Amino acid sequence: MDVANCILEGNPDAVEFCPDDLFHHILAVSTYTLQEGLQPTRLGSILLFNVDAEAGQLKPLHNVETAGVFDIKWNPIGTSLCPMLAQADADGYLRVYSLEGHSSEPETTGNFLKEINSKQVSSSSMCLCLDWNPSATLISTGLSDGYLSVISFTESQISTVNKWKAHEYELWTTSFDSHQPNLLYTGSDDCKFSCWDLRDDPSKWVFQNKNVHKMGICSIVKNPNDPTSLLTGSYDEYLRVWDVRSLSKPVNERAISMGGGVWRIKFHPVIHGLVLAACMHNGFSVVKIHEEKAEVIENYNKHGSLAYGADWQKGEKFKEGKMKSDVVATCSFYDRLLCVWKPESNICLHD
């Protein structure tokens, strides 16, 4: 069911609901716009919206003009006094903002982002992706030249801990293991799915699978409710379920064709095994992963171009059953469309 939508000034590529319960109504959207010419420029922005699905409201709050943004992520819950949003951008920078303003009233228009720290990870390549470790003390960034950087972060200091050539081509996704935070997964246009142990020499991988994905890997997500399960998404249009109990030899248990490159994967914050996927040329899908199989239970095709950004709204009121439905935000690139909607499948209402 459609809730609200709007056309943005830039090309949106990521949407992220704030995971902090006090700011559950805050939605961050990043944009990347290439201005071609003799000297091409990559411009971008981060926009904040107030989302009130019950009132059908999608209200702009704040806009930060910046370099073209490839990825944004909020820090994990409980790791700071106020929420923080990290940005990976086309100028090779990692930037971190704090969310300022009051949280007591959802209808507030006073929320804004304040840059608190930044680090130029590379002067010759672009930052394509990022991830926080569970304690928000480290941020990993993947670069367009295949390098991987691990950066130490506090609100007052940011520095590179390690940087190495992890892949041959663009490194599109990096993901800390939420159950074993010393492990870091990466995926790239070289079709290699890799895992690194940060306690060892980082140039040596724990495993590297280069035979399963037929095209570049653009999304890796650990199952937050199952320490043995992990998902990957690829340009080859498959969503794959992996068993990582044997770290040296992960097993690709199941694969489901999504009809488009699987750019983003988001687990539902409450319902186990429920996944939201952004499928590039084939819109957005809600997928239910069972022990035996994975199946698409709903498709959302209101977008007219590349499906990139997708996220579930979070917050205690959903866990407590005070809200009767789930809320999703999605964005598509060339038509600059941002949508807020509610899945209609009954499975979304029950664990």
Side-chain angles (χ1 to χ4, degrees):
M1 180 181 72
D2 293 324
V3 172
N5 64 73
C6 67
I7 302 297
L8 305 178
E9 291 186 7
N11 303 105
D13 53 12
V15 295
E16 294 281 327
F17 274 109
C18 185
D20 189 303
D21 189 51
L22 294 175
F23 296 94
H24 71 272
H25 57 286
I26 297 294
L27 174 69
V29 182
S30 65
T31 70
Y32 170 95
T33 304
L34 176 63
Q35 294 187 343
E36 299 185 21
L38 294 177
Q39 292 183 320
T41 57
R42 296 174 172 88
L43 303 178
S45 62
I46 298 179
L47 305 101
L48 295 184
F49 290 86
N50 174 31
V51 176
D52 185 345
E54 300 307 301
Q57 184 182 76
L58 178 62
K59 186 175 183 179
L61 296 177
H62 183 58
N63 181 12
V64 177
E65 299 294 333
T66 181
V69 183
F70 285 99
D71 198 12
I72 52 172
K73 283 190 175 71
W74 296 99
N75 65 313
I77 300 173
T79 58
S80 62
L81 293 176
C82 66
M84 295 183 294
L85 185 71
Q87 157 192 322
D89 70 37
D91 284 351
Y93 272 86
L94 170 70
R95 301 184 187 276
V96 181
Y97 305 87
S98 62
L99 179 62
E100 306 289 329
H102 299 291
S103 61
S104 56
E105 298 295 331
E107 63 271 15
T108 179
T109 58
N111 295 115
F112 63 95
L113 293 173
K114 176 184 177 183
E115 185 174 326
I116 57 174
N117 226 321
S118 66
K119 171 73 175 177
Q120 187 172 28
V121 184
S122 175
S123 60
S124 59
S125 58
M126 299 180 289
C127 281
L128 302 181
C129 59
L130 69 94
D131 195 31
W132 297 82
N133 74 338
S135 60
T137 55
L138 296 174
I139 303 174
S140 60
T141 61
L143 302 176
S144 58
D145 57 6
Y147 273 82
L148 177 67
S149 287
V150 178
I151 294 166
S152 173
F153 172 81
T154 67
E155 292 187 40
S156 60
Q157 187 174 4
I158 188 168
S159 59
T160 300
V161 175
N162 227 314
K163 182 178 179 181
W164 68 97
K165 181 75 169 178
H167 290 273
E168 296 173 48
Y169 306 120
E170 287 87 344
L171 202 165
W172 287 115
T173 179
T174 174
S175 178
F176 280 98
D177 190 311
S178 53
H179 300 96
Q180 301 180 76
N182 56 287
L183 299 180
L184 182 60
Y185 303 98
T186 58
S188 163
D189 268 353
D190 62 11
C191 304
K192 294 175 182 177
F193 167 36
S194 303
C195 176
W196 314 85
D197 191 331
L198 299 183
R199 296 171 299 184
D200 300 328
D201 183 343
S203 64
K204 297 178 181 178
W205 35 262
V206 178
F207 73 76
Q208 188 174 82
N209 184 294
K210 54 186 178 181
N211 299 319
V212 171
H213 301 91
K214 306 308 178 187
M215 298 179 72
I217 302 161
C218 28
S219 188
I220 301 174
V221 181
K222 186 72 181 290
N223 188 332
N225 303 302
D226 184 352
T228 69
S229 180
L230 176 148
L231 304 183
T232 61
S234 170
Y235 289 123
D236 67 13
E237 303 186 353
Y238 278 90
L239 173 69
R240 292 178 171 88
V241 183
W242 295 81
D243 184 331
V244 292
R245 268 175 289 195
S246 176
L247 267 178
S248 60
K249 286 189 176 182
V251 179
N252 179 209
E253 291 187 313
R254 294 179 294 285
I256 178 173
S257 177
M258 303 299 295
V262 185
W263 182 257
R264 281 288 182 270
I265 306 169
K266 296 291 183 69
F267 275 95
H268 192 280
V270 179
I271 303 171
H272 294 189
L274 197 65
V275 169
L276 177 66
C279 303
M280 298 183 72
H281 293 286
N282 198 35
F284 299 87
S285 296
V286 179
V287 180
K288 182 64 176 177
I289 298 172
H290 308 273
E291 291 186 6
E292 304 83 11
K293 62 179 181 178
E295 60 177 337
V296 175
I297 60 173
E298 185 170 340
N299 293 308
Y300 185 80
N301 295 307
K302 301 295 179 68
H303 291 267
S305 69
L306 287 173
Y308 274 157
D311 201 14
W312 304 94
Q313 190 171 24
K314 307 161 185 73
E316 286 300 318
K317 64 179 182 178
F318 296 100
K319 294 181 181 180
E320 297 168 1
K322 294 179 181 178
M323 299 292 285
K324 294 182 179 180
S325 183
D326 294 287
V327 178
V328 167
T330 52
C331 69
S332 46
F333 195 70
Y334 293 112
D335 60 359
R336 302 185 174 187
L337 180 61
L338 171 66
C339 292
V340 177
W341 51 281
K342 296 181 180 181
E344 298 177 354
S345 306
N346 289 333
I347 198 167
C348 292
L349 306 180
H350 306 284
D351 190 349

